[in-house]
């Protein structure tokens, strides 16, 4: 490939033109890639919409800083050959002066394949064309759950596989081809290098790994956050806390669990060498903290409104031995009734979101919750019923949960599970991964990421020592846990934990300038220390503050708290 920038600037319309000139459906039509370059997908030219957006003010986000951006907002649909279907794409094209030869695919969250407009600015502000897809679900706002069950008992496999991995791939193939023609990057058979990036969190993180595991040629770099990989275990895991409460016959008021979290933070804060309200060493916390120590502590919370709008009454009392026992069992992770481990728990000091009781105003009692991610997974994905969630946890035991995990794992191994551990093709093609995860994520345990990262290391470098294989993996695939970080953003209970807001820029610098990030920069995004900067250590190193200076250390005992053998399953869990 030759770099023909000078020639191209002179020769192409896009480089000379203003946003207004090119942001028309006529121009977009003229730069549509032909079907051969996009795997025979068929773009419908009459579906194109294009409108220029000037000086849009974008607020601070955990994944990018505030910015003012201008772009051409384009939507259009394509179909799969032989199918009378329609997949809608939405691309944002920067002005030709701002364009820096970059393409960005973005992913979704929950059962949504895109995150609305949320992640599109993150690539655009760095001179990239950003894209999202509707997966063919009917609109950019339609979720997989809305279309998965076609009639009770029947699954929409097209939608399933689009969500699983195909949707993001197809968007990327079309997006890269169109970006090249939009900015006139092609000249005969020579094209300028177009750098290709991925960014997503949660389900979007899973989509990121779905790509890294399959499409080595698509990507130069992927910023993958809190990925919802091991999909079946991950979804069913949301039901564990409720089943613990039900099985142990005690449903703690939310305030009691909040008090336990606060006391855990207080007890473990300084184990990392810095008293800042952040438990940067949840591993040391796990080794040293005993939840029994919270028994008897007084708690009190005012009446409030829950997420679903219902009124939660004021609560006060003392942490009970039953409350502490429920917390302890939840923090142990799911086990079968005969004691075999099936899944990992959240880290110590994470809020107990899955355990949040619902209040029954008729009986005046707290009831164990049916967390809808878990409930919907069972009704739609396993039972294939068109029901939003399970009606209750009645009759559901630990063994039921383990069985559901296993059943979904087998059924969706090739579409949703997303734990293929051999990333050799991606690595060999020069691909880079920055993988981040909030250490006290209350929705996807941080150890789900460390476990997969270690599985990749062991599968790819089976003959190397721990040190050598870690080094080899870290050359191109780096994992950073974010102390105090919650799910896809900072936590409110540990607000001084900084968040790596400029990770996309760091990835660009790694891919395009070879600057491997030894550590990641973080910024405190809210609270009284807002703006304070710090750094993250790359796994398996862990933070330890000595006289106010951050050191990244390794200690075996802490490391071992992150290592799990899931003996509830006969097959290896990657
Ligand atoms: C966008 O902002 C720039 C810089 O402030 C200004 O020159 C330009 O006129 C603005 N464009 C529009 C369409 O408002
Ligand atoms: C982009 O265009 C689509 C389709 O017209 C529209 O729904 C969306 O709101 C637009 N986004 C912005 C930021 O203008
Ligand atoms: C699917 O089954 C559920 C109960 O399992 C029922 O409420 C619903 O009406 C059924 N839907 C259809 C389309 O048959
Ligand atoms: C472009 O590539 C094609 C296929 O490899 C080849 O047939 C053609 O001669 C090339 N054209 C130029 C101008 O190099
Ligand atoms: C937990 O700590 C937070 C922050 O200090 C506080 O707002 C909250 O009231 C505390 N909760 C309980 C139950 O003490
Ligand atoms: C509250 O409890 C009563 C009695 O057990 C039950 O019939 C009712 O369905 C419950 N209400 C809700 C909203 O769960
Ligand atoms: C991290 O922050 C330091 C200090 O502000 C800065 O010099 C450095 O360039 C930043 N690194 C990255 C990759 O952004
Ligand atoms: Ca601390």
């Amino acid at each position: 490939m030759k770099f023909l920038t000078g020639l191209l600037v002179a020769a192409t319309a896009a480089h000379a033109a203003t946003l207004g000139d090119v942001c028309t459906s006529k121009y977009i039509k003229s730069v549509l890639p032909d079907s051969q370059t996009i795997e025979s997908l068929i773009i419908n030219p009459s579906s194109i919409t294009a409108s220029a957006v000037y000086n849009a003010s974008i607020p601070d986000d955990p994944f990018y800083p505030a910015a003012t951006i201008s772009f051409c907002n384009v939507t259009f649909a394509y179909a799969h050959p032989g199918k009378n279907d329609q997949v809608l794409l939405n691309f944002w094209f920067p002005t030709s002066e701002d364009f820096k030869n970059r393409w960005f695919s973005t992913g979704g969250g929950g059962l949504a394949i895109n995150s609305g407009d949320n992640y599109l600015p993150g690539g655009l502000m760095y001179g990239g064309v950003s894209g999202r897809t509707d997966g063919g679900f009917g609109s950019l706002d339609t979720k997989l759950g809305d279309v998965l069950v076609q009639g009770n008992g029947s699954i929409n496999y097209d939608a399933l596989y689009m969500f699983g991995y195909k949707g993001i791939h197809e968007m990327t193939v079309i997006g890269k081809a169109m970006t090249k023609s939009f900015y006139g990057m092609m000249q005969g058979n020579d094209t300028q290098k177009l750098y290709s990036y991925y960014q997503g969190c949660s389900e979007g993180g899973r989509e990121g790994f779905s790509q890294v595991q399959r499409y080595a040629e698509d990507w130069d770099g992927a910023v993958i956050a809190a990925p919802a990989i091991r999909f079946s275990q991950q979804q069913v895991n949301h039901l564990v806390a409720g089943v613990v409460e039900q099985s142990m016959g005690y449903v703690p008021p939310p305030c009691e669990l909040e008090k336990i979290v606060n006391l855990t933070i207080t007890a473990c804060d300084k184990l990392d060498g810095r008293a800042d309200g952040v438990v940067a060493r949840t591993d040391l916390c796990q080794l040293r903290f005993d939840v029994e120590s919270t028994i008897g502590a007084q708690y009190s919370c005012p009446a409030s409104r829950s997420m679903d709008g219902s009124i939660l009454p004021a609560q006060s009392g003392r942490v009970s031995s039953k409350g502490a026992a429920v917390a302890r069992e939840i923090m142990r992770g799911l086990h079968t009734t005969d004691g075999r481990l099936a899944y990992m728990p959240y880290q110590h000091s994470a809020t107990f979101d899955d355990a949040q009781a619902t209040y029954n105003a008729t009986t005046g009692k707290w009831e164990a919750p049916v967390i809808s991610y878990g409930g919907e997974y069972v009704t739609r994905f396993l039972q294939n019923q068109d029901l939003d969630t399970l009606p209750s946890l009645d009759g559901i035991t630990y063994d039921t949960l383990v069985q559901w995990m296993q059943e979904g794992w087998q059924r969706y191994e090739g579409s949703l599970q997303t734990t293929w551990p051999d990333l050799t093709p991606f690595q060999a093609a020069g691909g880079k991964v920055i993988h981040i995860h909030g250490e006290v994520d209350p929705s996807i345990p941080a150890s789900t990421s460390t476990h997969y990262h270690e599985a990749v290391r062991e599968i790819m470098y089976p003959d190397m020592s721990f040190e050598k294989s870690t080094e080899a993996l870290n050359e191109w695939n780096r994992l950073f846990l974010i102390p105090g970080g919650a799910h896809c953003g900072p936590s409110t209970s540990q607000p001084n934990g900084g968040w790596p807001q400029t990770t996309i820029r760091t990835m660009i610098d790694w891919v395009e300038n070879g600057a491997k990030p030894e550590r990641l920069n973080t910024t405190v995004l809210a609270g009284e220390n807002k703006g304070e900067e710090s750094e993250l250590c790359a796994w398996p190193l862990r933070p330890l503050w000595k006289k106010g200076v951050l050191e990244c250390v390794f200690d075996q005992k802490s490391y071992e708290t992150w290592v799990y053998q899931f003996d509830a399953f006969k097959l290896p869990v990657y």
Side-chain angles (χ1 to χ4, degrees), residues 473-526:
L473 183 61
N474 275 344
E475 279 301 308
W476 60 276
N477 179 351
R478 298 173 78 77
L479 169 62
F480 298 88
L481 297 181
I482 306 159
H487 190 57
C488 299
S491 84
T492 48
S493 54
Q494 302 186 34
N496 293 336
W499 190 265
Q501 192 185 33
T502 54
T503 307
I504 292 174
R505 204 182 65 203
T506 304
M507 176 54 94
I508 291 171
D509 216 27
W510 191 8
V511 165
E512 299 179 20
N513 305 319
K516 185 174 74 175
E518 290 304 332
R519 296 180 179 185
L520 277 193
N521 284 354
T522 64
T523 312
V524 174
L525 297 183

Side-chain angles (χ1 to χ4, degrees), residues 189-523:
N189 286 350
D190 290 319
T191 57
Q192 298 174 63
K193 166 77 178 168
L194 176 66
Y195 292 100
S196 175
Y197 299 95
Y198 181 86
Q199 187 251 316
C201 190
S202 192
E203 164 55 24
R206 188 200 63 75
E207 288 159 16
F209 271 126
S210 81
Q211 302 301 293
V212 166
Q213 291 166 5
R214 288 179 179 82
Y215 303 111
E217 301 302 326
D218 281 10
W219 311 101
D220 295 295
V223 174
I224 295 177
I229 53 169
R230 235 170 279 107
F231 195 85
S232 187
Q233 281 91 338
Q234 165 58 32
Q235 303 304 326
V236 174
N237 191 51
H238 281 298
L239 299 174
V240 170
V243 173
V244 167
E245 293 172 342
Q246 176 175 272
S247 305
M248 297 183 74
Y250 180 66
V251 182
C255 190
E256 186 176 7
L257 290 174
E258 188 179 309
K259 184 68 188 182
I260 291 176
V261 170
N262 283 4
L263 292 171
T264 310
I265 295 171
T266 305
C268 293
D269 179 1
K270 290 190 206 128
L271 295 177
D272 56 31
R274 190 162 88 150
D276 57 355
V278 177
V279 181
R281 291 299 297 277
T282 59
D283 40 25
L284 291 176
C285 188
Q286 189 176 330
L287 291 169
R288 304 206 192 144
F289 176 71
D290 187 349
V291 69
E292 299 242 327
S293 66
T294 65
I295 294 170
Q298 203 143 19
Y299 64 81
S300 158
C301 296
S304 62
R305 206 171 268 281
S306 80
M307 299 253 265
D308 66 10
S310 59
I311 303 283
L312 301 180
Q315 305 145 56
S316 61
R318 290 179 183 278
V319 173
S320 61
S321 54
K322 280 183 172 170
V326 163
R328 177 202 293 276
E329 188 58 26
I330 293 171
M331 290 193 284
R332 217 163 68 86
L334 175 64
H335 288 71
T336 58
T337 41
D338 63 4
R340 288 169 294 132
L341 180 66
Y343 214 51
M344 55 273 279
Y346 301 106
Q347 291 300 112
H348 275 48
S349 82
T351 52
F352 289 93
D353 291 19
D354 287 347
Q356 287 294 303
T358 53
Y359 185 68
N360 186 324
T362 312
T363 60
K365 289 199 168 126
W366 295 99
E367 295 179 350
V370 185
I371 301 297
S372 59
Y373 284 130
E376 180 168 14
Y377 181 71
V378 175
T379 55
R380 293 202 206 279
F381 291 76
L382 298 183
Q383 299 173 344
N384 299 156
Q385 298 290 304
D386 199 8
L387 292 171
D388 290 345
T389 187
L390 288 166
S392 76
L393 297 175
D394 289 353
I396 298 169
T397 66
Y398 299 137
D399 293 336
T400 320
L401 298 180
V402 177
Q403 192 191 321
W404 279 338
M405 286 182 173
Q406 165 114 2
E407 189 181 329
W409 172 12
Q410 183 179 36
R411 197 179 307 180
Y412 300 110
E413 168 78 35
S415 53
L416 300 174
Q417 191 68 2
T418 326
T419 50
W420 190 266
D422 180 9
L423 307 179
T424 302
F426 182 83
Q427 183 270 330
K432 308 277 186 284
V433 176
I434 297 179
H435 177 178
I436 61 179
H437 203 137
E439 185 151 334
V440 290
D441 188 326
S443 182
I444 301 182
S447 54
T448 67
S449 278
T450 57
H451 187 79
Y452 177 64
H453 191 77
E454 295 294 84
V456 170
R457 179 181 61 75
E458 286 169 13
I459 291 290
M460 287 184 66
Y461 307 104
D463 302 325
M464 290 186 190
S465 66
F466 177 78
E467 283 76 15
K468 287 276 177 239
S469 57
T470 296
E471 206 180 300
L473 183 61
N474 275 344
E475 279 301 308
W476 60 276
N477 179 351
R478 298 173 78 77
L479 169 62
F480 298 88
L481 297 181
I482 306 159
H487 190 57
C488 299
S491 84
T492 48
S493 54
Q494 302 186 34
N496 293 336
W499 190 265
Q501 192 185 33
T502 54
T503 307
I504 292 174
R505 204 182 65 203
T506 304
M507 176 54 94
I508 291 171
D509 216 27
W510 191 8
V511 165
E512 299 179 20
N513 305 319
K516 185 174 74 175
E518 290 304 332
R519 296 180 179 185
L520 277 193
N521 284 354
T522 64
T523 312

Side-chain angles (χ1 to χ4, degrees), residues 125-176:
M125 67 179 63
Y126 298 113
V129 179
S130 296
R132 61 175 172 141
T133 176
D134 85 339
F137 305 160
S139 83
L140 287 161
D141 301 323
T142 309
K143 299 189 163 87
L144 176 65
D146 305 332
V147 297
L148 184 75
V149 177
Q150 284 183 308
N152 283 330
S154 291
I155 281 277
N156 181 342
Y157 284 98
D158 284 331
L160 173 71
Y161 280 90
M162 284 296 279
F163 188 79
Y165 56 89
K166 277 185 67 186
I168 300 286
H169 166 68
E170 290 172 359
M171 163 172 72
T172 305
V173 167
I174 295 174
K176 287 169 75 170

Side-chain angles (χ1 to χ4, degrees), residues 54-55 68 70:
Y54 293 101
N55 295 340
T68 301
S70 299

